[in-house]
Amino acid sequence: MDEKIRANKKGQLMIWVIVAIVIVIVIILFFFLRKKIMPEIKENIIEDPRSFIHNCVKTNVEEVVDIMLPQGGFVNPKHTKLYKDINVSYLCYNAGNYRSCINEHPLLLNEMKKEIKNYIEPRIEQCFQNYKSEMEKRNTRVDLGPMNLDVDFAPNKIYVNIDREIEINKNDESFNLNEFKIEILNPIYNLGRVAMEIASQEAEYCYFEYVGYMILYPKFRISVFSMSDSTKIYSIKDKRSEKELNIAIRSCAIPPGL
């Protein structure tokens, strides 16, 4: 009886050993056949420059906007009033007394676009050259075509569109790109629209009802600082981003002593 039990146990053990061997063989065959059936993935020797250029554009756009906003929307403003050690551009100005100001920047948004483009274009060109240099260190040839760059605005956004042919080659592989579309969250458009409204109303009425404006558009906080020469500094803040645009206005000035 004991011999029969031992025989059964040996038989069961042999079955489990055979099952284990079959499982191992099936696993080996699975990976072997999978490797044969699926094409081997080559090492990705071509690196897409989109992320590199996107970061470059974003960094430089944010940098120039932070320069522009305190100064009235310009990198190097010409006609300015010194306020808190900052040269703030006049958007509307009249040197005389009692008369309404003349709007000096009726196309402020277009001027802002040009300011951004002029600032970032040579810096983005340098970014492309840096990418080319880095890739050549990795034995990858990069050919750059001429660059066309355009800047546009939308509510809460800045768009930078770059049209440039790029050919990347290494060994027998090649990769072509010709367009970069970058979108950056920024309230410069919104702030510029408010500034233009202020300048327009100051030119027509010598006054801007900023308290009422904030009630209608609570996403903005507007403050006014009056200076001794009748210049008013409007500070327009986007509450969500905390970005703030300063502008100077001199309209319907009252002579000192009156």
Side-chain angles (χ1 to χ4, degrees):
M1 185 69 176
D2 291 340
E3 290 181 2
K4 187 175 181 181
I5 292 173
R6 283 197 296 271
N8 287 337
K9 288 183 177 179
K10 288 182 180 179
Q12 291 175 0
L13 180 62
M14 287 297 296
I15 291 172
W16 283 113
V17 169
I18 292 170
V19 170
I21 292 172
V22 170
I23 291 173
V24 171
I25 292 173
V26 169
I27 292 173
I28 293 173
L29 287 173
F30 173 77
F31 283 105
F32 178 77
L33 292 174
R34 184 171 180 269
K35 187 175 180 180
K36 289 291 185 180
I37 295 171
M38 294 182 67
E40 184 178 356
I41 299 174
K42 295 183 179 181
E43 180 183 1
N44 184 20
I45 59 173
I46 304 298
E47 297 186 34
D48 188 343
R50 291 188 188 277
S51 177
F52 184 86
I53 298 303
H54 181 278
N55 290 335
C56 168
V57 171
K58 184 175 185 293
T59 297
N60 284 287
V61 166
E62 290 176 346
E63 179 178 275
V64 68
V65 169
D66 286 344
I67 294 171
M68 293 166 59
L69 290 181
Q71 302 183 147
F74 299 91
V75 175
N76 295 301
K78 301 296 188 295
H79 185 199
T80 65
K81 182 68 177 180
L82 188 65
Y83 171 69
K84 293 184 178 180
D85 297 324
I86 300 171
N87 290 315
V88 181
S89 179
Y90 278 104
L91 292 198
C92 197
Y93 182 82
N94 193 319
N97 299 318
Y98 305 115
R99 294 182 179 180
S100 60
C101 62
I102 298 171
N103 194 336
E104 296 187 351
H105 300 281
L107 300 176
L108 178 64
L109 291 175
N110 288 337
E111 292 182 90
M112 285 178 165
K113 293 176 190 177
K114 290 179 182 178
E115 290 284 292
I116 293 174
K117 179 180 178 181
N118 291 340
Y119 184 91
I120 69 173
E121 196 162 26
R123 290 164 174 80
I124 292 174
E125 174 61 38
Q126 186 59 53
C127 286
F128 276 104
Q129 296 300 331
N130 291 343
Y131 176 81
K132 174 181 171 71
S133 176
E134 179 60 31
M135 293 301 289
E136 287 175 346
K137 292 177 184 177
R138 305 180 190 184
N139 298 318
T140 300
R141 193 181 84 247
V142 176
D143 297 321
L144 300 174
M147 181 174 72
N148 293 312
L149 184 148
D150 184 58
V151 175
D152 204 358
F153 292 156
N156 297 308
K157 293 177 183 177
I158 300 174
Y159 295 108
V160 178
N161 298 318
I162 302 171
D163 184 14
R164 184 168 209 173
E165 186 75 29
I166 301 179
E167 184 176 349
I168 306 168
N169 294 278
K170 184 169 184 178
N171 300 331
D172 295 330
E173 294 188 36
S174 64
F175 184 52
N176 290 78
L177 289 171
N178 57 19
E179 194 173 42
F180 300 82
K181 293 183 178 292
I182 296 114
E183 178 183 304
I184 301 161
L185 294 177
N186 196 284
I188 190 171
Y189 171 84
N190 310 57
L191 296 171
R193 288 289 300 269
V194 178
M196 292 173 68
E197 181 66 22
I198 293 172
S200 176
Q201 291 197 24
E202 284 278 5
E204 187 170 358
Y205 306 113
C206 300
Y207 179 73
F208 175 70
E209 178 46 63
Y210 66 96
V211 175
Y213 193 90
M214 287 190 291
I215 293 173
L216 289 174
Y217 303 98
K219 64 182 178 180
F220 300 109
R221 183 183 297 117
I222 304 172
S223 60
V224 183
F225 182 79
S226 297
M227 308 187 81
S228 59
D229 66 345
S230 295
T231 292
K232 289 181 281 189
I233 303 294
Y234 284 90
S235 296
I236 312 155
K237 178 177 284 189
D238 174 74
K239 292 181 181 179
R240 185 173 183 179
S241 66
E242 293 294 313
K243 299 287 186 183
E244 188 172 63
L245 170 65
N246 295 324
I247 62 170
I249 303 285
R250 190 178 190 276
S251 184
C252 296
I254 299 175
L258 293 182

